[in-house]
Amino acid sequence: MRGDQRARELGAFLQARRRALRPSAAGFPGDEAYRRTTGLRREEVAELAYISVNFYTRIEQGRRSASEGVLNAIADALCLNDQERKYVIELSQQFGASDHEYPLEEVPRPVYRTMLEATGMPPTLVIGRRMDVLGWNQAFTRLGFDFAQVPPAERNIVWLAFVNEEYRSLQVYPVDGGRAAVGILRREYSMTPWSASLKELVDNLSARSEEFRRCWSEHTVAF
């Protein structure tokens, strides 16, 4: 079931944040070098969130839903930032949402096309929901990168950030930019786990870039 897919995404995110959190940051003293696992233990998260270990374990395994109050308590335990907390609540509310696939082709709204054609505009891009580049103006092209020279299937910010060497060479901080783009893509992927087009994009990126695979496995999200 697709709701189960969202539950698994939520569980995987919580697990990634748990493993990335230093125990001292969560209020657990001691020498972290002697801990058998990285990050917090499930028992410690459950203790901080005032729930049973079994309950938390089932949430993390994608086998149990939870109320917003419980999820906020878990977010507190894991020291989630505002965006991460919003993502947890948003994803949990999507369990029963209706399913749909993206249209075969996203196109810029008329107002955006007018903006791109206007003279005197600064460098501008129009980005779709899965980070596809839907349009750009001549001012952006003058920065040194022409999307018209890129195959349409590769006009995607995440693809360019991890695979296209010309695009990467123009970025001051290509790793940071790529990581931010992955965060946006991860959120969209989690909200629509049935999307064949998104799955294909992630699979192709994973096959082409070890750096992307590493960023994707971190379950970072951005809005």
Side-chain angles (χ1 to χ4, degrees):
M1 298 295 291
R2 289 160 179 178
D4 293 340
Q5 290 177 275
R6 295 191 188 95
R8 287 193 292 270
E9 280 292 317
L10 174 59
F13 173 77
L14 295 177
Q15 183 181 89
R17 296 282 73 75
R18 173 172 64 81
R19 290 177 172 174
L21 182 62
R22 296 187 62 180
S24 58
F28 289 98
D31 191 340
E32 296 175 11
Y34 290 95
R35 293 174 66 98
R36 296 178 61 184
T37 59
T38 58
L40 292 185
R41 304 182 183 95
R42 286 173 174 166
E43 293 84 352
E44 292 169 330
V45 176
E47 176 185 339
L48 292 170
Y50 298 99
I51 58 178
S52 71
V53 177
N54 180 264
F55 189 10
Y56 176 73
T57 299
R58 289 170 65 84
I59 295 172
E60 197 175 274
Q61 291 174 342
R63 298 190 293 122
R64 181 72 162 81
S65 61
S67 68
E68 185 170 333
V70 168
L71 292 174
N72 272 314
I74 293 172
D76 289 339
L78 294 175
C79 303
L80 301 188
N81 61 35
D82 290 343
Q83 286 194 347
E84 291 169 334
R85 183 186 299 269
K86 180 180 178 181
Y87 173 72
V88 166
I89 301 301
E90 185 180 50
L91 185 54
S92 71
Q93 293 171 344
Q94 291 287 324
F95 288 175
S98 60
D99 301 339
H100 63 279
E101 175 58 275
Y102 286 124
L104 292 178
E105 182 180 3
E106 282 189 280
V107 296
R109 297 177 182 176
V111 64
Y112 294 143
R113 290 199 295 269
T114 300
M115 179 179 65
L116 293 174
E117 294 167 0
T119 58
M121 286 290 292
T124 305
L125 288 178
V126 177
I127 308 297
R129 288 174 295 183
R130 61 167 232 164
M131 301 299 288
D132 291 321
V133 178
L134 306 181
W136 62 93
N137 62 4
Q138 287 301 311
F140 191 96
T141 301
R142 287 194 290 272
L143 292 178
F145 190 83
D146 187 0
F147 287 101
Q149 303 303 313
V150 178
E154 297 178 8
R155 291 176 193 164
N156 178 278
I157 292 298
V158 185
W159 182 272
L160 294 169
F162 287 92
V163 177
N164 188 293
E165 292 301 328
E166 180 185 356
Y167 182 87
R168 287 169 61 88
S169 70
L170 297 173
Q171 308 305 303
V172 178
Y173 302 107
V175 175
D176 292 343
R179 189 178 299 276
V182 168
I184 296 172
L185 186 67
R186 166 62 78 176
R187 175 176 176 265
E188 189 65 26
Y189 182 90
S190 298
M191 295 299 107
T192 56
W194 58 84
S195 172
S197 60
L198 268 174
K199 184 179 186 305
E200 181 180 15
L201 174 62
V202 171
D203 288 346
N204 288 340
L205 279 163
S206 298
R208 289 290 299 271
S209 171
E210 180 180 353
E211 186 180 349
F212 172 81
R213 292 196 300 273
R214 183 168 59 253
C215 288
W216 190 253
S217 69
E218 294 171 356
H219 284 263
T220 301
V221 294
F223 290 74

